[in-house]
Amino acid sequence: MLLLMLLALLWGGSPAQDLGFSLQVQRVVMVQEGLCVRVPCTLSYPPLGWTEDTPALGYWFLAGTDSSVGRPVATNDQNRAVRTVPQDRFQLVGDPQNRNCSLLIREALVEDSAPYFFRVERGRYVQYSFLKNQFYLQVTALTQQPDVYAPEILEPGHQVTLICVFNWTFEECPAPTFSWLGAAVSAPGPRPTSSYFSVLTLTPRPQDHGTHLTCRVDFSRKGVSTQRTIRLNVAYAPKDLVISVSRANTSALEPPAHSPHLEAEKGQFLRLLCAANSQPPATLSWALEDRVLSRSHPQGSGTLELVLPGVKPGDSGCYTCRAENRLGSQSRTLDLSVQYAPENLRVMTLHANRTVLENLGNGTSLPVLEGQSLRLLCVTHSNPPARLSWVLGGQTLSPSQPTDPGILELPQIQMEHEGDLTCQAQNSLGSQHISLHLSVVYPPRPLSPSCSWEGEGLHCSCSSQAHPAPTLRWRLGEGLLEGNHSNASWTITSSSAGPWANSSLSLSGPLGSGLRLSCEARNAHGKQRATVLLLPDKGLVSKAFTNGTFLGIGIMTLLFLCLLLVMKTLKKKQTQAGTPPRPRATRRSTILDYINVFPNPGPLAQNRKATRSSPSQAPPPGAHSLEFKKNQKELHVVAHTCPGPKSFTQASESENNQEELHYATLHFLGLRPWETQEPKDTYSEYTNIKFH
């Protein structure tokens, strides 16, 4: 039996596995170029021909090598040369005497990739090559990099420690060599060290931000190495703050403009984007004037958006984007101007001291007293500022203050100012206007009463012009005759047309002497009154002219001759005295009816300038001049307008309050007027005519 085993061992046949020869090793071993790998291996062999003191020799051969004459790659046989250079790259680290055949490979090279087998020799009989238990060594390119541990943000001026580690098993492998490269590393830099990791201590500077730092690991004497490069993040205050604008919801952002001004039309969409560069990321905020509109998260993306879906005039102002972190802040402003057509146009009346009285809406009727001044202020909201203009009756008015065309001054309102007054505001985006109706009002004009005898009664008419149209009233003595009314003794009929008011009064029955009749016109701005005095009554006058016609003619002739004689005598005396003759007013020897008209203007009408009647102020049809007609004689009493006699006080008042005065003249057809006597009482409301 022993002989059979020896023969099998010598022959190296397949029965060797059964005779106790075995080897366990992984089929494929992978390693990156330049690195070190350990190949675990165990074997067993039969206890034949050797003792415990017999040394066991092991050999690792490259597949295809003749184990009897070829060189192994690794062996514990001191008398056997190896083929690897340097000799210690492949090393049999296992002891075959203890059934261990492990192999250590250092600084693996790509050309080392190949199959390998193991051979054991112990004594005369244990000499066996495990050709069927080979492993394949696969050397790949070096891709593994070291890991660098550094703070995410480095504080400038503060010392910091960085660590570089290469994760690999270095129990039996030589340690690699570490080195640091970068602008932040002070020259000449730390010396290369051989260890499993490397530590770098440095003090970052602000200019080191963004620079690169490299940890390099060298594994072989042939220059096989690996490295990892990191970018240094040195903290700094916000910088490079920019604002971008988009005018549509889907359009791209416009590049930032150099001008800090932005114009947008009312209702337009706007999107404002603020971005800043900082480390750590800055907190961004948008503010309008002093009011914060939005704020970003401290760990945000470094941008902040502000959306204005439809800008309004109230959105105009200075928008500020501010970026801030613990090292400082930076801000930028954008002045937004929202442009829009004129709106909220309004007109206000002003006092001389520019005090606002009231707002006047479109279509308002503005009554103004004739002769007074008018100041109007037109204001509007618009951007760009609107150009203001005033138009009256289709004619553009020149501004009274060119620097402030919104103010219109009419120093004295006249009737031709009445009409539509329009303020128009216009800019490049549109226009708006507001129209007022300027209505010129005035107190009643001087009255134009007229009376005439009709049958057995007296018929009087009274007309007056004013705006608004006046109301007319009659007074008989102290009694008031109102409205359209009639009774047995009097009848009143009134009417109005435009600014004119007309009223007629018919009196019937006996009219006694001393009859005083008044017509009064008034409106909200003043009043006028005319008084008619009848002396004597119609019956007496009619009788005097009927029964004493011839007597009257004789008396009148006699009086005329006496008057001539008296006048010559007076003229001669005045010539001798050297003083001019002084006319005297007298109404003696007159039996005619007398009419005296006294105006009574209101407080506002007293400021009006006394003017004579003009064609534009003529009374309407049916109005009569103040005259009395006697059918029996060619005599007329006609009303005229002229200044009456005044005292010193009256003259002073009349300079400020000019009135329209009325008086009556008597025309005697065919007769020469007498010299009259000056009336004594110039303040009387009427003058009596005495009959002789």
Side-chain angles (χ1 to χ4, degrees), residues 152-229:
E152 182 180 358
I153 299 176
L154 307 180
E155 296 291 337
H158 295 267
Q159 193 177 68
V160 66
T161 299
L162 296 87
I163 302 176
C164 181
V165 178
F166 191 84
N167 293 321
W168 196 260
T169 302
F170 296 104
E171 295 178 359
E172 298 175 342
C173 298
T177 301
F178 289 83
S179 58
W180 294 88
L181 303 173
V185 179
S186 59
R191 292 183 304 169
T193 58
S194 298
S195 178
Y196 304 133
F197 62 91
S198 179
V199 177
L200 174 66
T201 301
L202 59 84
T203 301
R205 302 162 300 177
Q207 60 267 30
D208 292 332
H209 175 74
T211 62
H212 294 89
L213 181 65
T214 300
C215 175
R216 180 173 180 176
V217 184
D218 293 307
F219 297 96
S220 70
R221 281 155 287 198
K222 288 190 175 183
V224 178
S225 64
T226 183
Q227 63 185 25
R228 180 179 291 275
T229 301

Side-chain angles (χ1 to χ4, degrees), residues 635-650:
L635 302 177
H636 301 271
V637 182
V638 183
H640 295 274
T641 302
C642 71
K646 305 184 207 135
S647 65
F648 176 79
T649 305
Q650 289 174 319

Side-chain angles (χ1 to χ4, degrees), residues 76-135:
N76 61 349
D77 187 356
Q78 300 296 327
N79 298 320
R80 193 80 174 262
V82 296
R83 62 182 297 173
T84 56
V85 178
Q87 297 183 2
D88 58 349
R89 283 201 316 114
F90 282 69
Q91 183 179 1
L92 178 62
V93 294
D95 186 2
Q97 190 171 345
N98 296 327
R99 279 68 172 178
N100 190 335
C101 54
S102 296
L103 177 66
L104 180 64
I105 304 175
R106 298 184 181 95
E107 302 177 11
L109 302 176
V110 175
E111 53 267 27
D112 294 333
S113 299
Y116 295 86
F117 69 92
F118 183 74
R119 176 177 175 79
V120 63
E121 294 179 1
R122 192 174 189 181
R124 292 180 59 187
Y125 302 107
V126 177
Q127 295 182 4
Y128 186 81
S129 295
F130 296 91
L131 298 178
K132 294 184 178 180
N133 299 96
Q134 301 177 4
F135 77 91

Side-chain angles (χ1 to χ4, degrees), residues 265-437:
E265 292 188 12
K266 179 181 177 181
Q268 190 175 19
F269 176 91
L270 279 183
R271 181 161 59 101
L272 309 179
L273 184 66
C274 177
N277 185 12
S278 64
Q279 190 64 256
T283 300
L284 300 175
S285 63
W286 276 107
L288 175 58
E289 306 301 340
D290 296 330
R291 179 167 53 95
V292 177
L293 303 178
S294 63
R295 188 184 299 274
S296 68
H297 191 272
Q299 301 299 326
S301 60
T303 61
L304 180 62
E305 184 180 74
L306 178 64
V307 176
L308 302 174
V311 294
K312 307 177 293 298
D315 294 331
S316 296
C318 185
Y319 287 80
T320 302
C321 177
R322 181 180 179 87
E324 184 175 9
N325 66 8
R326 65 177 181 268
L327 297 178
S329 64
Q330 188 181 26
S331 62
R332 185 175 180 184
T333 60
L334 180 67
D335 188 12
L336 175 61
S337 176
V338 179
Q339 298 187 337
Y340 55 99
E343 59 184 31
N344 298 329
L345 181 65
R346 59 190 184 278
V347 174
M348 296 170 286
T349 57
L350 291 175
H351 272 315
N353 59 359
R354 299 179 68 92
T355 302
V356 177
L357 288 181
E358 62 176 334
N359 288 330
L360 304 175
N362 194 25
T364 301
S365 178
L366 179 62
V368 184
L369 188 63
E370 184 182 16
Q372 285 190 342
S373 63
L374 177 65
R375 289 168 57 89
L376 297 177
L377 173 64
C378 184
V379 294
T380 185
H381 295 155
S382 65
N383 190 18
R387 180 173 58 86
L388 298 174
S389 61
W390 290 92
V391 177
L392 178 60
Q395 181 179 2
T396 302
L397 303 178
S398 299
S400 54
Q401 300 182 19
T403 59
D404 193 355
I407 295 181
L408 175 66
E409 296 186 29
L410 299 176
Q412 190 173 15
I413 294 296
Q414 303 297 332
M415 286 299 300
E416 56 266 22
H417 292 148
E418 183 165 289
D420 291 332
L421 181 64
T422 301
C423 174
Q424 183 169 0
Q426 184 173 10
N427 66 7
S428 58
L429 299 178
S431 64
Q432 192 178 26
H433 71 275
I434 185 170
S435 295
L436 312 173
H437 181 73

Side-chain angles (χ1 to χ4, degrees), residues 512-514 533-542 544-545 555-556 559 586-595 630 635 666 668 674 687-692:
S513 62
L533 181 63
L534 304 179
L535 289 177
D537 61 16
K538 178 179 179 293
L540 293 176
V541 174
S542 298
F545 274 93
I555 295 174
M556 290 294 292
L559 291 175
T586 178
R587 292 181 176 85
R588 297 182 181 183
S589 305
T590 303
I591 57 175
L592 301 177
D593 298 343
Y594 175 75
I595 297 176
K630 290 293 185 175
L635 302 177
L666 305 181
F668 295 84
W674 290 3
T687 301
N688 294 332
I689 299 179
K690 298 180 180 180
F691 292 85
H692 296 275

